[in-house]
């Protein structure tokens, strides 16, 4: 995995990530450290298979509404376009290797998402502000989409409100 200097942290959740990518974009591996705490918003990866191999602790996954506890040494694979989210019920941190195939621009999404959290620009559920979401959605719609509001509604809103979001200074990539 990448060295510790490449680590990003979400201050809202305490989650940490380090990235390993292959040269041709076949996959992105993310070493995650997940403190006990709330789940991130339910989402789908429309064009990517995602998986997680738990190295330590236990992560709970809700996949299409069915909950599964994945402990150390176990792996879960989630097909593309499948609603899911995960969390750590604690009491200890859980570590995992997550993988997305193909990589696409997933690393850029997480770097932006964690930077928004760092600057207090996500709500208690982890969602960016509305106009920021309007700016993010078109740029990362192949990588990740929230399940609420439903995709057709969100796509329509971003098409209509995208120019306003950009005019107000919201961008897909947040430093």
């Amino acid at each position: 995995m990448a060295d510790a200097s490449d680590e990003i942290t979400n201050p809202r959740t305490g989650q940490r990530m380090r990235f390993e990518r292959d040269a041709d974009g076949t996959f992105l591996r993310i070493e995650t450290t997940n403190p006990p705490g709330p789940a991130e918003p339910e989402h789908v990866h429309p064009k990517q298979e995602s998986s997680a191999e738990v190295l330590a602790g236990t992560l709970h996954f809700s996949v299409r509404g069915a909950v599964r506890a994945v402990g150390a040494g176990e792996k879960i694979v989630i097909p593309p376009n499948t609603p899911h989210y995960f969390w750590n019920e604690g009491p200890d941190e859980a570590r995992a290797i997550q993988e997305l195939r193909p990589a696409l621009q997933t690393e850029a999404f997480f770097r932006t998402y964690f930077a928004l959290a760092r600057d207090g620009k996500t709500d208690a559920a982890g969602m960016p502000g509305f106009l920021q979401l309007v700016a993010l959605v078109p740029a990362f719609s192949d990588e990740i989409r929230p399940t609420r509001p439903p995709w057709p509604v969100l796509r329509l809103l971003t098409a209509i409100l995208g120019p306003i979001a950009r005019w107000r200074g919201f961008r897909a990539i947040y430093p």
Side-chain angles (χ1 to χ4, degrees), residues 39 42 58-70 76 83-89:
E42 183 179 65
T58 300
L59 290 173
H60 292 78
F61 286 80
S62 174
V63 180
R64 289 186 195 231
V67 175
R68 177 176 161 200
V70 181
I76 187 169
H84 67 282
Y85 59 96
F86 71 92
W87 69 97
N88 176 0
E89 289 185 3

Side-chain angles (χ1 to χ4, degrees), residues 120-139:
K121 296 183 183 293
T122 57
D123 64 18
M127 290 297 286
F130 182 70
L131 287 178
Q132 182 63 63
L133 190 61
V134 165
L136 281 172
V137 166

Side-chain angles (χ1 to χ4, degrees), residues 1-2 6-10 13-20 28-36 40 51-61 70 76 86-88 92-100 106 110 114:
M1 297 305 301
D6 195 36
E7 184 174 87
I8 62 172
T9 301
N10 182 330
T13 64
Q15 184 182 44
R16 299 184 307 275
M17 291 183 170
R18 288 187 290 180
F19 301 96
E20 175 188 345
L28 173 68
R29 282 194 189 104
I30 309 169
E31 181 180 343
T32 65
T33 303
N34 307 279
E40 293 298 332
S51 65
E53 179 180 356
V54 177
L55 305 174
T58 300
L59 290 173
H60 292 78
F61 286 80
V70 181
I76 187 169
F86 71 92
W87 69 97
N88 176 0
D92 300 316
E93 285 186 332
R95 289 187 318 103
I97 301 292
Q98 297 185 5
E99 189 170 284
L100 292 113
T106 305
F110 281 117
F114 278 36

